[in-house]
Amino acid sequence: MNDQQRIAVITGANRGIGFEICKQLAQKNIQIILTSRDQEKGMEACAQLKKQDLPVRYYQLDVREAASINDLKKFVEVEFGRCDVLINNAGIFPDAQGASDSNWPSVFDTKIETMEKAMATNVYGPMLLCQALVPLMKKHNYGRIVNLSSGMGQLADMGGHCPAYRLSKTAINALTRIVSEELSDLNILVNSMCPGWVKTDMGGSEATHELPEGADTAVWLATLPDDGPRGKFFRDRKEFEW
Ligand code: NAP
């Protein structure tokens, strides 16, 4: 790492969009802290990028665990003394477990435990990560926070079914607005984005977007200039209605 190099933390980065974001940001010579809840999978993913001579370090992180987030914060503080970029990518779609596309769960059948699971990973984790890492961004008055949301959380086009995932993604959009407002006098830009329908374990093989396209908007938001947008929702680098 050199003094000018930016430091980026990416959650849920052992596979899918998170892994691709790590790759694309590392190719821009940003120092990546690739995190995953499963250490073995995360270290394997990290090794793949290191083989390409990319600047990547690994740290184990379960976004549902406050202690795990606190450990990450200490690691970043001791090893790098700063944090410039946070990508809240880790996410689950608990409604989808055991369901088929033609049989998406109804709000009338959804258990509160399913709702709680979605909120813990998709909303409370990102909020705790902001609490942990924003102080390290404030030290240098520089930060870019990207929250991975979804069109399924868009109020303007809200459909039925899958209430746990939908509500958690609407909530992370609200979190984006709240955090952005509280940081409005600083050079810390906080935005939400939908990656499109992407070929990953979550998106499935029928999805329309390949991984590079799915990561593109997140990478763009992570590297915005100081006069870039804040507190907005994007898809394909274009502003998207809430
Ligand atoms: P994915 O392939 O299912 O990957 C999800 C990642 O999140 C995995 O690395 C998973 O780790 C991790 N994760 C889950 N729970 C975690 C926890 N408690 N702590 C840390 N990591 C955890 O999903 P994806 O398609 O890449 O999605 C990435 C983000 O984009 C998600 O927020 C998703 O909601 C959003 N998104 C995706 C699509 C799409 O079409 N794919 C569309 C809209 C939005 P494990 O390997 O350990 O499970």
Side-chain angles (χ1 to χ4, degrees):
M1 188 193 115
N2 58 53
D3 286 348
Q4 306 305 318
Q5 200 172 22
R6 301 267 182 226
I7 309 297
V9 170
I10 296 95
T11 68
N14 53 296
R15 61 185 164 97
I17 298 168
F19 178 70
E20 179 67 23
I21 293 171
C22 288
K23 186 163 99 186
Q24 292 189 23
L25 286 177
Q27 284 166 344
K28 293 181 181 294
N29 195 31
I30 291 173
Q31 172 65 53
I32 302 302
I33 303 170
L34 183 157
T35 71
S36 70
R37 61 177 161 178
D38 183 303
Q39 179 152 346
E40 201 175 318
K41 289 182 191 162
M43 287 182 78
E44 251 173 53
C46 187
Q48 270 191 55
L49 298 182
K50 276 192 175 153
K51 253 192 237 159
Q52 300 168 43
D53 281 333
L54 294 171
V56 187
R57 294 277 298 274
Y58 175 73
Y59 202 81
Q60 193 273 335
L61 172 74
D62 186 330
V63 304
R64 290 167 309 183
E65 303 288 340
S68 180
I69 292 173
N70 202 35
D71 288 347
L72 168 80
K73 177 194 178 160
K74 285 188 202 142
F75 168 78
V76 177
E77 206 163 16
V78 170
E79 291 289 317
F80 303 101
R82 63 187 294 151
C83 178
D84 303 298
V85 177
L86 165 63
I87 312 274
N88 280 314
N89 166 78
I92 56 168
F93 194 156
D95 315 71
Q97 274 167 15
S100 64
D101 286 7
S102 54
N103 187 26
W104 288 121
S106 156
V107 68
F108 298 107
D109 302 324
T110 298
K111 293 192 166 62
I112 287 299
E113 298 83 78
T114 311
M115 306 297 294
E116 286 171 346
K117 271 192 203 163
M119 293 300 283
T121 303
N122 297 355
V123 187
Y124 306 151
M127 187 175 106
L128 291 173
L129 276 147
C130 289
Q131 289 177 358
L133 298 178
V134 165
L136 297 180
M137 296 177 174
K138 284 184 173 173
K139 270 171 65 173
H140 300 274
N141 189 32
Y142 181 93
R144 303 290 181 260
I145 300 175
V146 183
N147 291 328
L148 272 279
S149 179
S150 164
M152 287 183 75
Q154 189 188 34
L155 278 173
D157 189 34
M158 187 59 70
H161 305 276
C162 306
Y165 187 72
R166 286 188 185 281
L167 210 92
S168 71
K169 293 301 186 182
T170 307
I172 199 172
N173 281 349
L175 181 72
T176 295
R177 293 296 296 265
I178 295 165
V179 177
S180 178
E181 279 298 315
E182 292 201 20
L183 299 174
S184 61
D185 53 349
L186 297 172
N187 181 21
I188 300 180
L189 308 181
V190 188
N191 290 291
S192 268
M193 45 87 54
C194 169
W197 185 23
V198 189
K199 286 189 180 104
T200 61
D201 291 355
M202 187 187 289
S205 56
E206 304 290 302
T208 50
H209 285 40
E210 299 296 332
L211 271 181
E213 212 180 341
D216 174 73
T217 300
V219 169
W220 171 67
L221 290 171
T223 52
L224 285 174
D226 295 351
D227 61 352
R230 57 169 82 218
K232 305 275 191 212
F233 188 22
F234 292 92
R235 182 192 265 177
D236 294 331
R237 296 195 185 197
K238 291 193 188 75
E239 201 175 330
F240 198 47
E241 198 176 351
W242 292 109

